[in-house]
Amino acid sequence: MVPDPLITRFAPSPTGHLHRGHAFSAVMGWAAARETAGQWLLRIEDIDAERVRPGHVEAIHADLAWLGLVPDGPVVTQSERLPLYDAALDRLKADRLVYPCGCTRADIAMAASAPHAGETVAYPGTCRGRSDVDLSAPHAWRLDLAATGLAMEQTWLDLAAGPKAGRADFGGDPVLARKDGAIAYHLACVLDDAAQSVTLVVRGEDLAEATPLHRLLQQLLGLAEPAYLHHALLRDASGNRLAKRAGAATLAVLRAAGEDGAALRRSLLRQSAPLLARAGIPISDSVKI
Ligand code: GLU
């Protein structure tokens, strides 16, 4: 069922320039909001200070303006919301649902059984239940999934694909705060989706693996559970996924070359309309212009 009101968000990370794939996601959420008299919000996910590049936040705003996409309501910037994330982490610490972990990547890779190339190595729980982790040395905080008492098999309604299920423990106990103190994407994302009253998360299917964990965190923290629409990723003519490093495809380059942003928006909207229609949001001609 299409949520009413439909409040969705575009949540880019300013770690690289936006490309057509990002624009596809943005246009899809924007059109869904326009069609239903809902809201399309913008959230800058700049929590990973090490990877944020100067000028990219400004470029995101310029790209969206060029496409003709105007966010409804104030822009949320994650780096301005650290106290909110820290307060949630402190509650989990007080409830003993997170534990300190001093493992390095190499420790984890060695402890886990040989992964195939490119596979995520699931954290084997080395520091769970240990009382000798050196708190004066850099340490991460991991969620003790078993201690939450919540189901690892999580379900959600995907407007595009129907009822979906997946495991929240796909990577073992997840890091909620990194060794360098940065809050993990998973925690910040669910807190912000709730704070922005998001009722529909529109994002690429590459992020669907994280959704069972997001469901679990929403239940753990008593947050409202939005619906989801994970869309297939836009591919280039040879079927390859558009990557950030494919410089020629960035919106900044198209913009600088004098291309028409409104024309790109209309073309992406035509591409996303069949999926939106399947999701129960047929796009009318007045939104397509
Ligand atoms: N910031 C994430 C990204 O740019 C998107 C997160 C989300 O939509 O949940 O990949």
Side-chain angles (χ1 to χ4, degrees):
M1 235 189 32
V2 178
D4 179 20
L6 190 155
I7 303 174
T8 187
R9 78 328 188 250
F10 178 54
S13 305
T15 53
H17 280 296
L18 299 187
H19 52 64
R20 276 185 194 170
H22 295 106
F24 183 60
S25 217
V27 165
M28 199 176 290
W30 174 85
R34 292 284 74 72
E35 185 63 41
T36 57
Q39 285 182 50
W40 180 73
L41 306 174
L42 175 61
R43 180 165 80 230
I44 303 292
E45 298 210 324
D46 60 346
I47 203 150
D48 190 352
E50 267 176 30
R51 295 182 55 226
V52 169
R53 298 284 165 264
H56 282 182
V57 174
E58 292 74 11
I60 289 170
H61 288 293
D63 289 340
L64 295 178
W66 174 71
L67 286 165
L69 307 182
V70 181
D72 301 303
V75 178
V76 162
T77 302
Q78 289 193 325
S79 58
E80 293 168 3
R81 298 162 65 77
L82 304 183
L84 172 82
Y85 312 139
D86 287 341
L89 187 67
D90 285 346
R91 278 202 307 279
L92 294 173
K93 283 182 192 169
D95 291 343
R96 300 188 168 278
L97 290 172
V98 286
Y99 59 87
C101 169
C103 291
T104 61
R105 262 179 225 272
D107 293 336
I108 297 168
M110 247 153 53
S113 53
H116 295 278
E119 267 184 12
T120 315
V121 180
Y123 179 67
T126 319
C127 292
R128 190 192 310 123
R130 267 176 61 179
S131 52
D132 59 345
V133 174
D134 180 3
L135 295 183
S136 65
H139 55 277
W141 287 92
R142 288 185 181 270
L143 179 64
D144 186 344
L145 282 171
T148 65
L150 294 165
M152 290 305 121
E153 181 79 5
Q154 289 281 329
T155 56
W156 71 91
L157 172 66
D158 197 298
L159 290 195
K164 294 281 285 182
R167 292 197 63 89
D169 56 357
F170 61 92
D173 287 344
V175 167
L176 295 190
R178 294 191 329 206
K179 271 190 186 172
D180 62 3
I183 293 290
Y185 152 70
H186 303 299
L187 182 57
C189 175
V190 298
L191 289 168
D192 283 336
D193 282 340
Q196 293 185 281
S197 305
V198 166
T199 57
L200 175 65
V201 173
V202 176
R203 62 186 177 194
E205 66 188 6
D206 55 330
L207 286 165
E209 187 188 50
T211 302
L213 175 58
H214 292 190
R215 299 307 267 183
L216 183 139
L217 287 170
Q218 286 153 358
Q219 290 152 20
L220 184 64
L221 299 166
L223 308 173
E225 297 176 45
Y228 288 81
L229 198 170
H230 292 104
H231 58 78
L233 299 178
L234 210 57
R235 296 187 182 265
D236 65 18
S238 25
N240 297 318
R241 199 182 138 176
L242 296 178
K244 281 184 184 169
R245 60 182 166 277
T250 70
L251 302 185
V253 167
L254 300 177
R255 204 159 33 87
E259 300 244 352
D260 181 353
L264 177 59
R265 182 190 72 230
R266 283 192 288 270
S267 134
L268 293 172
L269 188 46
R270 275 196 300 278
Q271 284 183 64
S272 52
L275 180 66
L276 285 169
R278 273 206 305 284
I281 312 167
I283 301 298
S284 37
D285 288 345
S286 60
V287 175
K288 284 188 182 152
I289 53 171

